[in-house]
Each structure stands twice: as structure tokens, then as C-alpha cells.
Amino acid sequence: MRPIPYGRQDIDEADIEAVLEALRSDWLTQGPAVGAFETALSGKLGAEYACVVSSGTAALHLLGLAMGWQSGDIVITSPLTFVADANCIVYAGATPDLVDIDPDSYTLDPCKLEDRIQTHQKQGRRVRAVIGVDYAGHPCDWKALRSLADKYGFQLVADACHALGATLNDDPHYAARYADAAVLSFHPVKHITTGEGGAVITGDTDLAEKVKLLRTHGITKDPKYLEKNDGPWYYEMHALGFNYRITDIQCALGMTQLKKLDRFVARRRCIARYYDEVFGPDDRFTTPTIAPHVGHAYHLYPLQVHFDSLSLARAELFERLKEKDILLQVHYIPVHLQPYYRKHYGFNEGEFPVAEQFYRRVISIPMHPRLDDEDLNYISASVQEAVS
Ligand SMILES: *Cc1c(COP(=O)(O)O)cnc(C)c1O
């Protein structure tokens, strides 16, 4: 497979057959596959409810609205994430804030989070919610985040878009256990795909019902909610919602993909062990460290390259590997360095030094289940050669 991207989907004949079957059925959307996929997801994640929607970003958007975030509320997330986490705070009319990452797990630092919450409190501002991001597939310190949530009374959200298949203390249900709700994405680079797609996972009946109402224009036909009932055609709009539905075609694919999740994650872990051996210990690189009791899901393999001491520019490394048909990526440009967030929220360079240092060094090298041992040899040798 050339070129070799940093991530890609793994689609087999069973997936294709499932999609064809959906296409031949009576339902292209809002049929039986949607509910079946939700049931399968909620079982896998150990939560009462899964609400599937058109993307991970749509899931974050609706969750913020369902949680009631509004003007005057502060919602905190990590600077080391995709912009969608900060954007969903803005969509709800709340104010985004950031707290630096832990240098080993690359996830929210609970001590810095507590300091920041106290600062907000002293200035009379309310921290309404915190979104922890399981960066690359390494769970946050969810036990610490949960106890802070209980102590300070904020809502806790798990952005588990990188972490489907991860475990904490051997528990694959940790996100639903510690957070009030978790969000997933089924974009093709993620662990399982529906083309585009996402989900809100929660044990909270009220949140699940709000998300399901908002994903379909805020319209309900459920007799238990109707103010009156004029007949079988009758529906009512109760909230300003969106068309964020996902199709049966996509959910049929999601069902067959989910069956392969364990195998996908096992292969990703195998690839990570290989890279760990090739690139560490070596003072030119820092390989990811894993906290005790963590089962990493390896959405990404973030390799830090010590460009300063190598006198090699990252752009040059990208060029050299592109010539070899290896397409690197960088995850992520810290959110606070984006022009939009600087301009509207006053963030500055230097504010989150751990995330910034990480950003200067990191590359995402190819990590997906389709890579075979020959690919891994080729990638490793090419990276070694490019930095020597
Ligand atoms: C992919 C991703 C999202 C958004 O998901 P989409 O399905 O692409 O909208 C949000 N957060 C993180 C950390 C992601 O990796």
C-alpha cells in the first residue's frame, strides 16, 4: 500500500456486504440499523445510552447544548486536541479555557486544573464543565478528574474519540464510569468508521433524551412529551435542533466494524511495541510513556523527535519521508495558537509550555491495522535514515 498515510480505515468484504444489504433494504435512514448500532455501542462501552449522530463534532455540539452550557459559563479542555473540543464550547455560547497537559500522559494535568478552577472561583467565575481528551488513546487520570468534578461541582465529559478500545485498571467501561458523558468519532482514521459519524455515550436519561431530540430538529412524536395530540401525523418542535442524523447505511457499516474493534486494537498495540523497540531508548527520540494500569488504544503513535539537537527541521523530515511515500502528520497544533482563539479569547504563545514543547517535537508516524510487518520495517528504516 503506497503512499502510507498516518491513519486510514480497514474495510473488508463483510463491511461491504453489510452496506449493500442496507442499500437493498427499505431503510436508508432512520431504520433498524441505527438502534442496533446504538445497542451494540452502549454494550461495548458499558453505558445505558448511546446516541449516534452525523459526526464526533456534532456529538460534542449537542452534548454541550444538552448539558445546558451558556453565556457566562467557563468550560475547560486541553490545548492538545482537535479544535472541535474548543469549538463546541463556543457553539453553546460558553467561554473556552485551557489547562496544560501532563508531560508523560499528554492529557490534562489534574493539579494545574485544580489551580485554574480556584483562580476562576476567586474571580467569581463558574467552571461549568471540563472536557478531558484521551490523547492518542491514553486515558486521562479519570479518577483524579472525577474527584475534582465532585469537589467543585462541574460536569465531566470524556472526549474518547482516540480511545475506543482503551482500558483503565482493566476496565473498558472507564469513560462511562468516570465521566457524565463520553463522545466518540467514526471518521475513517479512528478505530472504527462509518465514513462520518459520532456518538454521545451516557448513563444520564435526561442528557440522552435531549441529544436525541436535538439531532432531529428538536422535533418529537413521542406521546409522553406532546402538549396535545391532533392525530397520527402530529409532531411538535420543543427545542431549536439540527439535522445531525446518521444513516442506516452508515450504521450497518458501524455494526460490522465494531465486531472487529478488539482485533484492530490488538494490532495497533503490536505496532506500538515494534515502534517502542525501534525508537527507544535513544536520545534522538522520546517514545510515548504509559501510566500504570492503562491499556493504550493507540489511535496515534506520537513520536517526539529532538529536532533541536539533530539540527534537522521538521518540514525537512516531512519532505524526506514524503519522497519515500510515507505521509506524516502532526497532532496537534495547540488550540491556543490558532488565530481564532488568540483573537477572540486572548490566548498567547508561552501560556501552555508543556503542550507547546510537545508540539515542537511531535510527529504522528503511520499507525493503523492495515500495516504489515514489511511496512513497519520500511517505515522505521526510513525514519532512522532521514534523521541520521
Ligand atoms: C476526530 C476528533 C473529533 C471530531 O470528530 P469528527 O467525527 O471528525 O467530527 C473530536 N475530538 C477529537 C480528539 C478527535 O480526534
Side-chain angles (χ1 to χ4, degrees):
M1 175 192 25
R2 298 287 154 82
I4 306 175
Y6 87 86
R8 65 156 284 157
Q9 71 278 13
D10 185 337
I11 298 290
D12 67 11
E13 284 307 314
D15 294 315
I16 294 167
E17 200 43 56
V19 170
L20 289 178
E21 207 177 295
L23 285 170
R24 291 190 188 107
S25 80
D26 292 334
W27 302 94
L28 295 188
T29 192
Q30 306 320 104
V34 176
F37 187 37
E38 290 184 330
T39 302
L41 278 173
S42 62
K44 196 84 191 169
L45 287 135
E48 189 93 12
Y49 307 100
C51 315
V52 291
V53 292
S54 53
S55 70
T57 303
L60 283 163
H61 183 181
L62 297 190
L63 182 58
L65 298 180
M67 285 186 144
W69 302 347
Q70 54 186 306
S71 172
D73 291 339
I74 308 269
V75 179
I76 296 178
T77 190
S78 168
L80 186 68
T81 189
F82 186 51
V83 290
D85 287 291
N87 293 355
C88 75
I89 301 165
V90 178
Y91 296 156
T95 304
D97 195 16
L98 303 167
V99 163
D100 213 347
I101 55 167
D102 172 86
D104 295 318
S105 69
Y106 317 142
T107 61
L108 271 186
D109 183 328
C111 297
K112 289 180 180 159
L113 177 62
E114 183 160 23
D115 285 350
R116 190 74 190 143
I117 291 167
Q118 290 178 347
T119 304
H120 281 303
Q121 274 190 343
K122 279 189 205 120
Q123 296 172 354
R125 288 188 298 259
R126 176 181 182 205
V127 174
R128 181 74 184 269
V130 170
I131 310 171
V133 181
D134 290 345
Y135 175 82
H138 188 300
C140 295
D141 185 348
W142 285 108
K143 200 160 173 246
L145 297 182
R146 181 73 254 166
S147 60
L148 291 176
D150 293 338
K151 183 171 173 188
Y152 293 97
F154 58 77
Q155 300 160 325
L156 188 56
V157 174
D159 180 339
C161 290
H162 293 187
L164 192 53
T167 59
L168 190 58
N169 299 314
D170 296 318
D171 179 9
H173 300 159
Y174 71 88
R177 194 178 307 286
Y178 287 107
D180 298 305
V183 168
L184 298 173
S185 164
F186 311 122
H187 182 277
V189 296
K190 307 291 165 72
H191 290 86
I192 65 166
T193 190
T194 58
E196 296 279 358
V200 172
I201 309 294
T202 184
D204 183 323
T205 308
D206 182 52
L207 274 183
E209 288 189 349
K210 280 185 179 148
V211 168
K212 286 186 178 177
L213 184 71
L214 290 171
R215 75 179 168 186
T216 182
H217 312 279
I219 285 174
T220 183
K221 290 183 99 169
D222 189 336
K224 80 174 184 260
Y225 297 118
L226 295 179
E227 289 179 7
K228 57 179 188 144
N229 197 344
D230 290 349
W233 69 89
Y234 188 73
Y235 59 84
E236 286 173 359
M237 182 183 135
H238 287 178
L240 186 61
F242 304 85
N243 179 354
Y244 279 172
R245 295 184 301 261
I246 185 170
T247 66
D248 268 52
I249 308 165
Q250 291 170 292
C251 290
L253 177 56
M255 291 285 283
T256 49
Q257 284 272 295
L258 191 59
K259 290 191 183 125
K260 289 174 284 206
L261 175 65
D262 294 344
R263 179 162 65 72
F264 286 166
V265 173
R267 180 63 189 154
R268 286 174 181 271
R269 287 181 178 153
C270 211
I271 294 169
R273 278 200 299 277
Y274 181 93
Y275 286 150
D276 285 344
E277 290 210 351
V278 170
F279 297 109
D282 180 332
D283 53 18
R284 295 172 301 169
F285 302 109
T286 301
T287 55
T289 35
I290 304 177
H293 318 299
V294 158
H296 202 305
Y298 291 107
H299 162 57
L300 302 171
Y301 190 89
L303 180 67
Q304 291 183 73
V305 182
H306 300 190
F307 291 104
D308 296 349
S309 52
L310 286 169
S311 57
L312 170 72
R314 182 162 49 186
E316 174 65 23
L317 180 63
F318 265 61
E319 257 327 294
R320 287 182 193 175
L321 287 170
K322 188 165 171 245
E323 280 164 20
K324 304 215 155 210
D325 266 343
I326 298 168
L327 307 180
L328 303 177
Q329 228 345 316
V330 169
H331 298 93
Y332 292 93
I333 303 163
V335 171
H336 69 288
L337 301 181
Q338 293 294 347
Y340 177 87
Y341 283 100
R342 287 187 201 232
K343 183 168 163 214
H344 294 283
Y345 297 95
F347 291 115
N348 288 306
E349 195 163 353
E351 265 188 272
F352 306 103
V354 183
E356 289 173 33
Q357 160 83 324
F358 178 82
Y359 166 62
R360 280 192 289 274
R361 289 179 164 176
V362 76
I363 57 174
S364 294
I365 60 177
M367 169 56 86
H368 53 84
R370 278 277 175 100
L371 296 171
D372 61 22
D373 293 352
E374 200 181 313
D375 294 324
L376 297 183
N377 260 319
Y378 176 72
I379 294 159
S380 307
S382 303
V383 173
Q384 290 281 8
E385 190 192 314
V387 300
S388 64

